[in-house]
């Protein structure tokens, strides 16, 4: 027996929120994946919209290279507003 | 029908909420650099030291992180056994779906059994993040290489067993599982939070169902008492062997997979059940059950651990039946899987 492909499931819990990863499941195709996702992850009205994505279609950054990959952002503290000291009394800035 | 509040359930559900909050807080701490700085400061990028540092900082280990082989293997064994238990656990209750006494009870039982299938699937998905495949897991169950909880090898003889299972078996499962919401492995912890929230309905429906019987005719009452008499000790045995004989505990505690010992959890369960049984007006089948002022706990008779070992090894009342049923269901479902796969291929052309 070989398993059906793996799908990652994303659910939008309510209007106004973005889709969030909730888990994964196996299904032969996207129609079945959506139906299984509904039965598995929204039995208690946890969502108003579901995305299913073939796990094989996801490219992930590797934790091994976490430092070098994300390093460029680490030394640019001037990207945050708190970097800037303001003269006393300035408002709405 | 008025049902008295189940003492203890709110407390446990509160702990699930707390575990969920702690998980979010740990993730926030990570943003401000607690674990990341530890990781960065570790000389020679020693994977084992990084792993220990993340655990030490109460952070979660995530799927593609480096981890010791024993950690990975131990988790696969535990999560798989847990998943198999949910799947096999559908059988004792599935046995009563067609004979439920009312449409309402039938709908409730169906929803519960469906939840158990769902819990099995959350857990298989969590196990698969550790690099084991679904077919390996299915095969390990069907071939008997991996186990499931011994409790499901006992028969469900009367309708009252549905109540006793919900109250005692699901109650014991919740006491066991709530601390797992804080497990150091992220996917397992997240699956457990979801499962525990859903399980609390299982326990309450069982208690309520048993309460109705206990308030019913003398015959219904006897049936309820008989079910409690039969399920009490097997439920106590669900917490596993005593601490002195538990093989995997110490390492599991050090790695924050397990948080409390078998005996501590068993005691906690007994302390919760005694007042609940009083409200039901049913007795627990233990003449030596009494409050110990000094310890601040109930003294009780331990379950028969020799029996537990016999059942785990395959010699319980229903082991063969459960496995035969699962194998048959798997084989007889093959054509559905094949048809779905053929249909999917057609879509590709």
């Amino acid at each position: 027996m070989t398993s059906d492909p793996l799908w990652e499931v994303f659910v939008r819990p309510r209007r106004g929120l973005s889709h969030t990863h909730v888990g994964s499941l196996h299904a032969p195709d996207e129609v079945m994946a959506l139906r299984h996702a509904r039965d598995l992850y929204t039995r208690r009205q946890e969502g108003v919209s579901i995305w299913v994505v073939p796990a094989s279609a996801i490219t992930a950054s590797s934790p091994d290279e976490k430092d070098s990959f994300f390093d460029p952002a680490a030394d640019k503290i001037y990207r945050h507003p708190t970097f800037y000291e303001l003269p006393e009394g300035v408002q709405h800035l | 029908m008025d049902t008295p509040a189940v003492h203890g359930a709110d407390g446990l559900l509160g702990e699930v909420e707390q575990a969920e909050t702690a998980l979010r807080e740990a993730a926030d701490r990570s943003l401000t650099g607690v674990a990341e700085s530890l990781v960065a400061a570790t000389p020679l990028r020693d994977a084992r030291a990084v792993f220990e540092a993340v655990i030490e900082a109460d952070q979660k280990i995530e799927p593609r992180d480096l981890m010791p082989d024993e950690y990975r293997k131990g988790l696969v064994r535990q999560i798989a056994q847990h998943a198999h238990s949910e799947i096999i656990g559908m059988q004792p209750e599935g046995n009563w779906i067609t004979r439920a006494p009312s449409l309402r009870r039938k709908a409730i039982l169906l929803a519960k059994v469906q939840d158990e299938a769902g819990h099995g699937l959350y857990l298989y998905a969590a196990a698969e993040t550790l690099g084991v495949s679904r077919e390996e897991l299915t095969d390990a169950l069907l071939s008997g290489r991996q186990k499931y909880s011994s409790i499901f090898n006992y028969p469900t003889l009367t309708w009252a067993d549905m109540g006793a299972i919900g109250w005692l078996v699901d109650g014991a499962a919740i006491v066991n599982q709530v601390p797992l919401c804080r497990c150091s492995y992220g996917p397992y912890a997240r699956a457990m939070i979801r499962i525990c929230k859903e399980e609390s309905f299982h326990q309450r429906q069982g208690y309520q169902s048993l309460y109705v019987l206990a308030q019913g005719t003398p015959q219904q009452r006897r049936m309820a008492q008989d079910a409690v008499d039969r399920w009490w000790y097997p439920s106590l045995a669900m917490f596993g062997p005593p601490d002195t004989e538990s093989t995997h505990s110490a390492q599991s505690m050090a790695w924050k997979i397990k948080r409390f010992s078998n005996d501590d959890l068993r005691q906690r369960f007994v302390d919760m059940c005694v007042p609940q049984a009083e409200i039901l007006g049913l007795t627990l089948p233990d003449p030596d059950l009494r409050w110990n002022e000094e310890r601040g706990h109930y003294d009780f008779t331990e379950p028969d651990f020799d029996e537990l070992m016999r059942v785990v090894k395959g010699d319980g009342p229903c082991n063969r039946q459960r496995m035969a049923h699962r194998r048959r269901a798997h084989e007889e479902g093959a054509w559905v899987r094949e048809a779905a796969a053929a249909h999917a291929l057609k879509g590709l052309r």
Side-chain angles (χ1 to χ4, degrees), chain B residues 16-313:
Chain B
V16 175
E17 302 278 350
Q18 283 165 15
E20 195 174 18
T21 309
L23 192 136
R24 272 199 303 271
E25 283 171 359
D28 289 346
R29 277 204 307 282
S30 178
L31 267 182
T32 60
V34 174
E36 306 307 324
S37 66
L38 280 169
V39 172
T42 308
L44 304 173
R45 311 184 57 78
D46 176 1
R48 182 63 180 251
V50 171
F51 169 83
E52 302 282 355
V54 171
I55 300 255
E56 183 58 33
D58 260 325
Q59 299 278 322
K60 300 297 174 198
I61 302 295
E62 294 295 344
R64 281 149 53 105
D65 290 346
L66 290 170
M67 59 187 91
D69 212 33
E70 316 89 83
Y71 180 82
R72 184 189 301 276
K73 278 191 190 148
L75 271 172
V76 168
R77 184 183 50 77
Q78 182 174 338
I79 301 174
Q81 172 170 349
H82 194 163
H84 301 327
S85 300
E86 298 281 358
I87 299 302
I88 298 290
M90 291 193 281
Q91 291 184 38
E93 290 170 300
N95 181 34
W96 279 93
I97 289 175
T98 56
R99 294 177 286 166
S102 69
L103 188 56
R104 177 167 171 266
R105 293 286 175 198
K106 185 174 182 169
I108 291 171
L109 197 55
L110 262 174
K112 181 174 190 285
V113 173
Q114 192 189 15
D115 270 356
E116 277 149 14
H119 296 173
L121 293 175
Y122 302 157
L123 289 161
Y124 280 133
E128 286 178 79
T129 64
L130 290 160
V132 59
S133 74
R134 179 70 62 91
E135 56 266 40
E136 285 173 72
L137 293 168
T138 306
D139 187 58
L141 170 64
L142 296 182
S143 68
R145 266 181 296 120
Q146 284 174 347
K147 305 289 183 202
Y148 54 89
S149 176
S150 58
I151 193 78
F152 302 117
N153 292 316
Y154 291 87
T156 44
L157 303 179
T158 72
W159 169 254
D161 287 23
M162 299 303 98
I165 286 181
W167 175 41
L168 295 173
V169 175
D170 290 301
I174 292 173
V175 168
N176 247 333
Q177 290 171 6
V178 163
L180 292 175
C181 295
R182 290 176 181 272
C183 165
S184 60
Y185 187 59
Y188 193 25
R190 292 189 287 272
M192 289 316 305
I193 289 173
R194 213 185 158 92
I195 289 172
C196 284
K197 285 182 172 176
E198 298 182 355
E199 287 277 347
S200 69
F201 130 64
H202 298 185
Q203 191 192 16
R204 285 185 190 201
Q205 67 81 31
Y207 189 81
Q208 197 254 355
S209 173
L210 211 52
Y211 186 76
V212 170
L213 289 175
Q215 306 295 309
T217 64
Q219 206 182 357
Q220 287 172 324
R221 209 187 137 67
R222 271 201 303 281
M223 187 165 75
Q225 183 62 57
D226 168 64
V228 171
D229 290 348
R230 282 182 290 108
W231 288 96
W232 174 247
Y233 284 107
S235 300
L236 289 187
M238 284 174 70
F239 296 92
D243 295 350
T244 47
E245 289 162 38
S246 183
T247 40
H248 304 291
S249 278
Q251 185 62 79
S252 267
M253 301 267 257
W255 278 334
K256 298 184 181 173
I257 295 172
K258 224 174 136 163
R259 299 278 178 155
F260 301 99
S261 77
N262 294 353
D263 287 337
D264 286 350
L265 292 169
R266 192 169 7 247
Q267 179 72 60
R268 182 177 189 180
F269 176 67
V270 171
D271 290 347
M272 274 173 43
C273 285
V274 175
Q276 290 170 352
E278 280 165 11
I279 294 173
L280 286 174
L282 299 174
T283 54
L284 297 171
D286 181 357
D288 296 323
L289 185 72
R290 62 179 58 88
W291 179 252
N292 183 325
E293 190 70 46
E294 212 169 294
R295 293 200 308 127
H297 292 290
Y298 285 92
D299 290 339
F300 62 97
T301 306
E302 296 282 352
D304 181 349
F305 291 115
D306 293 337
E307 176 181 321
L308 172 66
M309 286 305 131
R310 278 199 303 278
V311 180
V312 167
K313 292 213 169 81

Side-chain angles (χ1 to χ4, degrees), chain A residues 30-80:
Chain A
E30 67 273 18
V31 178
M32 291 296 284
L34 264 183
R35 281 168 190 254
H36 287 336
R38 177 198 60 191
D39 293 342
L40 189 54
Y41 291 106
T42 60
R43 287 197 301 284
R44 290 174 174 78
Q45 296 182 298
E46 289 94 338
V48 295
S49 164
I50 300 176
W51 290 345
V52 289
V53 181
S56 59
I58 293 177
T59 308
S61 70
S62 152
D64 297 347
E65 54 178 20
K66 185 165 55 187
D67 294 350
S68 58
F69 196 69
F70 295 103
D71 259 356
D75 59 354
K76 296 177 180 60
I77 47 172
Y78 46 83
R79 281 176 174 163
H80 299 276

